[in-house]
Every structure is written in C-alpha cells, then in structure tokens.
Amino acid sequence: MAVSGFIARFFPFLNSLFQRRTNIKLGLYGPPNAGKTTMANSICQECLGEDMGVVSNIAHETREIQVKEQITIKSGKKQLSFTLVDTPGIATKIDYEDFLKYGMNEREAKRRAKEATKGVIDSIKWLDDMDTVIVVLDSTKDPMSQVNITIIGNLAARNIPVLIVANKIDLKKADIKRVRAAFPQYEVVGISAKYGNNLTEFYDALFKIVEKRGL
Amino acid sequence: MLTLQFIPYAEIEDLTSEKRISKLLNVVKENKIVVLEGRLRKEEEADLIKQTMESIDEDFKGIELSVIFPDMRNKMALDNLRKLFINLLLGDRTGITIIGPASVVKEIKKDPNKIELLTQPLRRKKKR
C-alpha cells in the first residue's frame, strides 16, 4: 500500500487536511438573472485569471452549459479541485416578447427564447451528474418561488449536497435573513459576486460541505 | 372565459410519471388552470418543467406552478410518521398543486377581476 493510500485509509482526518481532493463536479444552479455566471466569473478570475461566460442584465444570457475544469481553491493548508459547471437559469415560462423590450428584433427574440428553453432542459438533465450544487439566489427577491423549491427539492431527492448562495448583497433591497428563513435546513452564505464580497466565507462553507459528505 | 379544472389524485395515481405530466400539461395547453389534489414527486416537478420547455412555441409561453401544502414542522413526530406512511402507500395527497398557462396567469395579474370559476371534476364528466 502506498503511503498516500495508508494515510487515506487509516488517518482520513489527516488525509482531508493535507491531501489534494479528487476532482468533483460543482454545479451552479438557480433561476435566471440570479448571478450564476457572475459568480462563475469571480471564481475563475481568482483561480485562472479569466472569465467563464458573458453576463448581462437580460434574462437567459447563459443558454448553454459552460464547463471549466481544474479549478483549485485554497483555504489554509487545504485545497479543493473541482470542475465548475455553470448552468442556464431554470424557469417555467419563457416568452420571446419579454426580450423585445431590450431592443431585440422579433427574429432575434424568438431565437433567444428557443435557445433558452433548450438551456433549461439541459440544466435539468445535468442535475444527476453533479457532486455538489451551489444554488445561487437573488437576495433582493422572494426566495420562496416554486422554481427555487423545485430545484432544491430535486437536489435533496437525489441526495446531492447543497450550499445556498444569497447573491447581490451589495444592493439595498438584499435580505439574507429571508433566504435563511425560507431554507432553514441549508447553509446560506451571502455574497456579492459582482464585487467579490464574502468569497472567502463562500469557500470556507464549500470546504465544510465537501468534507462533511466525504467527497 | 377562464376555466379551472379540478383533478382528483385518483385520476393520476395509476399513471406513469410521463403520462401524469402529459395529462396535466395537455389540460394547461387548453388554456385551463389545473387544480390537482395532492402533489407530484420532486422528480416529476422537474420533468414537468422539462416537458413544458419542450412544448413552448408562439402560442404556449409556459406555465406558472404553485404547490400549497400544510406546514408539518410544528406537528407531532407521530403525525409526521403517519403522514409519511400514508404517502408511501397511497401517494402524496396532501396539499394542492396549481398549474396554469403563463399567459393566462399574466392576464389575471393585470386584472384580477377576470377570474370566473368553472370547475369541471373529471370523474363526473366521465360518468355522463
């Protein structure tokens, strides 16, 4: 038995402290415009010095699954490697007319709506492939929407560890307490993905959840 | 005119997940609001969203979904256990699931006075 194998078998505590973890698939899920891609960009900028995807204030900007491999975050002597999966926002309705308000022509708006519906389907299909999921919610909005409840309920049914991120805490209307009250059985971390606020707390919470599940 | 269609749990309990979802979605596509006794399974809710997305076109813009169920947090452990056991045997009949066409719900939000009730229990319809 190799030394690393011996440590892993008989001293799992030491293993978790000093060893590099195996690569896990970390998914970013949530409703449209919650800031999933902004968050993915913050993480990628810090670890790789590059963005993951394009962001805008128009819903359904991310319409395809984006994957970035070999992202490593550190906290003290611990480090965690993962594949980051940024998913299109999950919605129950998509109306091309909503995109017309942003100055798109009808053809463009219909194409965007079509791509957005495909994106939602892909996000749901990928649920089964995730090892851990970060549910990104807009902390200025009511967290008790049926989409949020369905996403979190599905993750629980699949026994996938969940960390809830209450994003946009830099805004006046942000209310983390409301998010915590809506999902009391989950750890909730408030961040501002746009300005990179509280990312360290987010990483610490992520380490905790991964260690707890022995991933 | 807006139609609410009540679907008792017994109408869907013997159907496969796929058929359950198709049945509910077909009613919604007729511009009716479904009031379903009980709840779908979590996986079925996700499949309902998936199938909805597959059905979206210029006329059908999607659904509004809401699940209303009693809060069990303050109930006695024995009550919860009994409920779990009944759900396991008979399916989840507690609560109500409301599924409506997104375009119709949007209209109601604009003008709540538009609501006109017309319930059509499927069971009674079949007997005729």
Side-chain angles (χ1 to χ4, degrees):
Chain A
M1 189 186 293
V3 177
S4 59
F6 178 80
I7 291 172
R9 185 164 177 190
F10 297 105
F11 302 99
F13 168 71
L14 287 177
N15 189 50
S16 68
L17 269 181
F18 301 112
Q19 291 269 307
R20 192 190 171 104
R21 293 189 170 275
T22 50
N23 215 338
I24 61 166
K25 219 174 255 171
L26 182 71
L28 292 173
Y29 274 80
N33 261 8
K36 296 178 290 299
T37 306
T38 308
M39 186 168 178
N41 286 346
S42 281
I43 297 169
C44 287
Q45 274 296 345
E46 214 170 90
C47 302
L48 306 169
E50 60 185 48
D51 275 351
M52 185 158 184
V54 180
V55 295
S56 84
N57 58 352
I58 309 172
H60 300 285
E61 184 62 46
T62 307
R63 299 184 295 282
E64 282 178 3
I65 304 271
Q66 311 278 337
V67 180
K68 269 275 193 256
E69 291 177 335
Q70 289 300 320
I71 294 179
T72 304
I73 56 169
K74 290 174 186 171
S75 174
K77 286 179 180 176
K78 293 183 277 186
Q79 62 177 26
L80 176 70
S81 278
F82 55 86
T83 296
L84 189 62
V85 183
D86 183 23
T87 66
I90 295 179
T92 57
K93 57 180 190 288
I94 295 170
D95 186 349
Y96 78 89
E97 285 175 17
D98 291 340
F99 301 131
L100 297 175
K101 295 169 198 159
Y102 294 94
M104 286 180 205
N105 62 41
E106 200 172 309
R107 200 173 153 196
E108 218 178 332
K110 281 181 182 170
R111 185 172 51 86
R112 191 183 179 97
K114 186 82 196 154
E115 288 170 1
T117 58
K118 198 181 164 297
V120 175
I121 295 167
D122 287 342
S123 293
I124 294 170
K125 279 184 186 165
W126 274 63
L127 268 176
D128 285 319
D129 294 330
M130 299 300 154
D131 297 307
T132 300
V133 166
I134 311 300
V135 176
V136 183
L137 303 180
D138 181 342
S139 63
T140 67
K141 291 187 176 159
D142 181 8
M144 284 300 277
S145 76
Q146 195 57 48
V147 164
N148 296 345
I149 295 167
T150 300
I151 295 170
I152 292 170
N154 266 271
L155 293 164
R158 287 167 167 84
N159 203 26
I160 297 170
V162 173
L163 174 63
I164 296 176
V165 162
N167 191 23
K168 308 189 186 183
I169 57 162
D170 53 294
L171 298 177
K172 268 186 183 174
K173 281 184 181 172
D175 190 349
I176 308 172
K177 280 182 191 166
R178 191 165 56 159
V179 181
R180 288 202 173 110
F183 303 105
Q185 62 276 52
Y186 293 98
E187 167 115 35
V188 177
V189 184
I191 70 154
S192 166
K194 191 175 177 181
Y195 298 107
N197 299 345
N198 275 4
L199 274 183
T200 313
E201 284 84 344
F202 161 69
Y203 292 147
D204 288 342
L206 185 59
F207 268 104
K208 257 191 239 168
I209 207 161
V210 167
E211 277 172 7
K212 204 172 158 188
R213 288 297 187 106
L215 292 169
Chain B
M1 189 190 294
L2 175 74
T3 310
L4 300 192
Q5 182 159 326
F6 178 69
I7 301 182
Y9 193 84
E11 290 284 340
I12 62 158
E13 70 176 333
D14 294 330
L15 300 178
T16 61
S17 290
E18 204 179 328
K19 283 185 179 165
R20 276 181 187 191
I21 293 161
S22 296
K23 186 184 177 89
L24 299 173
L25 212 48
N26 286 339
V27 177
V28 174
K29 280 188 201 164
E30 289 169 14
N31 261 359
K32 294 174 185 170
I33 293 180
V34 169
V35 180
L36 171 73
E37 177 193 15
R39 283 189 281 176
L40 294 171
R41 282 193 289 271
K42 285 292 163 198
E43 293 88 340
E44 288 173 338
E45 275 180 25
D47 285 341
L48 173 67
I49 296 175
K50 223 160 61 175
Q51 275 201 36
T52 300
M53 289 297 124
E54 282 163 3
S55 308
I56 284 181
D57 54 28
E58 278 183 43
D59 300 319
F60 181 63
K61 308 285 171 63
I63 59 166
E64 290 280 5
L65 171 70
S66 184
V67 185
I68 303 156
F69 55 94
D71 188 355
M72 299 302 289
R73 277 176 294 185
N74 298 326
K75 292 262 172 85
M76 300 283 283
L78 198 66
D79 286 341
N80 285 336
L81 198 69
R82 192 183 300 131
K83 182 185 160 280
L84 271 174
F85 191 65
I86 292 168
N87 287 347
L88 202 70
L89 291 174
L90 303 171
D92 200 346
R93 290 161 191 258
T94 47
I96 289 172
T97 302
I98 301 167
I99 311 162
S103 49
V104 172
V105 178
K106 197 175 175 182
E107 285 300 310
I108 297 169
K109 276 180 187 169
K110 274 188 208 161
D111 179 11
N113 293 328
K114 274 187 180 170
I115 296 180
E116 221 176 298
L117 267 175
L118 248 186
T119 49
Q120 293 179 307
L122 283 178
R123 277 272 165 102
R124 208 182 304 157
K125 235 180 150 186
K126 270 188 176 175
K127 280 177 190 168
R128 276 176 205 160

